[in-house]
Amino acid sequence: MDLFSHSWRALRAAIAALPDEEFDQLSGCTGWLVRDLVCHLVIDAQDVLITLVTPAASEPTADAVTYWELQDAPPTGEDPLDALIPRLAAAYGEPRWLKFHLHDVGSAAGRAAELADPALRVSTQDKVLTAGDYLSAYVLEWTLHHLDLTAHLPSAAGPPAETLAAARTSLEKIAGAAFPASFSDEAALRIGTGRRRPTDAEQAAPGDLAAKLPLVLG
């Protein structure tokens, strides 16, 4: 729960500090500019709020690891929802309105997470899981999108070391194998999810894990 709050605050702070012109730069998400990514995060924050007030009576069917489903191919930006995001983002006009909406909804999502009972069972995407597991899964979501935010913005603040390490651990559990110790947490996350190509040295390092990469999360 603490890592959720830590990762979410760091991501929102990095966005709040961006100059307006950087909202038109490419993000690490295929087909999306930074403003599109921020718009997606507004929707993510809404999803957190909705899920935390959608209790379930049945036993959990997923946890923080099995919440994620591996997809066959990376996103192309042509999925109807993915394609909708740039249109929504453009409708905001000035970046300040996107910043305001993310601050408004994002702060509410952060407070809801802090107040949530970790043992509460919630329902989302036809899955039932505890609020604690749901919020733990989002540490990976926030951290990966923080890396997407900074992919072409080297001056922007990156994810905290603690959340990078936690996200790496989560990705290794999803993969069922560990990344080489020579990989930094950031490299493991970027290479592991196909966000960047490995160097020649990195290409040889993963061993048995190489056949499973990239891990496309959905």
Side-chain angles (χ1 to χ4, degrees):
M1 304 285 276
D2 290 342
L3 282 172
F4 174 94
S5 297
H6 192 32
S7 59
W8 188 219
R9 280 195 301 266
L11 177 52
R12 288 185 289 123
I15 292 168
L18 291 180
D20 285 0
E21 59 270 18
E22 292 191 342
F23 276 69
D24 290 324
Q25 297 298 313
L26 289 174
S27 78
C29 296
T30 302
W32 283 0
L33 302 176
V34 166
R35 69 183 182 191
D36 306 325
L37 172 59
V38 175
C39 184
H40 169 75
L41 292 173
V42 171
I43 295 173
D44 264 357
Q46 292 172 339
D47 285 345
V48 169
L49 284 168
I50 291 168
T51 299
L52 291 179
V53 293
T54 308
S58 59
E59 291 294 319
T61 60
D63 58 24
V65 174
T66 57
Y67 168 84
W68 297 102
E69 297 178 1
L70 294 178
Q71 307 298 306
D72 294 332
T76 62
E78 296 176 358
D79 175 85
L81 181 57
D82 290 348
L84 174 64
I85 295 296
R87 298 199 296 274
L88 289 176
Y92 279 89
E94 299 176 51
R96 61 176 172 149
W97 300 120
L98 257 176
K99 285 183 176 181
F100 171 79
H101 201 184
L102 179 64
H103 172 75
D104 198 32
V105 181
S107 296
R111 287 193 299 271
E114 290 170 357
L115 294 170
D117 177 357
L120 174 71
R121 296 170 190 168
V122 296
S123 177
T124 182
Q125 300 180 33
D126 297 322
K127 300 180 179 74
V128 174
L129 63 170
T130 66
D133 275 336
Y134 173 70
L135 295 173
S136 293
Y138 256 82
V139 174
L140 179 56
E141 173 86 355
W142 299 147
T143 304
L144 288 174
H145 281 326
H146 202 147
L147 292 175
D148 291 331
L149 178 75
T150 61
H152 302 284
L153 301 177
S155 62
E162 301 93 327
T163 61
L164 282 167
R168 177 190 185 141
T169 298
S170 294
L171 191 63
E172 288 177 338
K173 289 178 179 178
I174 293 166
F179 288 94
S182 60
F183 279 28
S184 68
D185 294 337
E186 180 175 339
L189 292 167
R190 288 192 187 277
I191 295 169
T193 58
R195 281 167 163 79
R196 79 162 171 85
R197 295 179 63 83
T199 63
D200 290 343
E202 290 168 338
Q203 184 75 42
D208 293 339
L209 183 58
K212 299 181 179 181
L213 301 182
L215 301 167
V216 181
L217 307 180

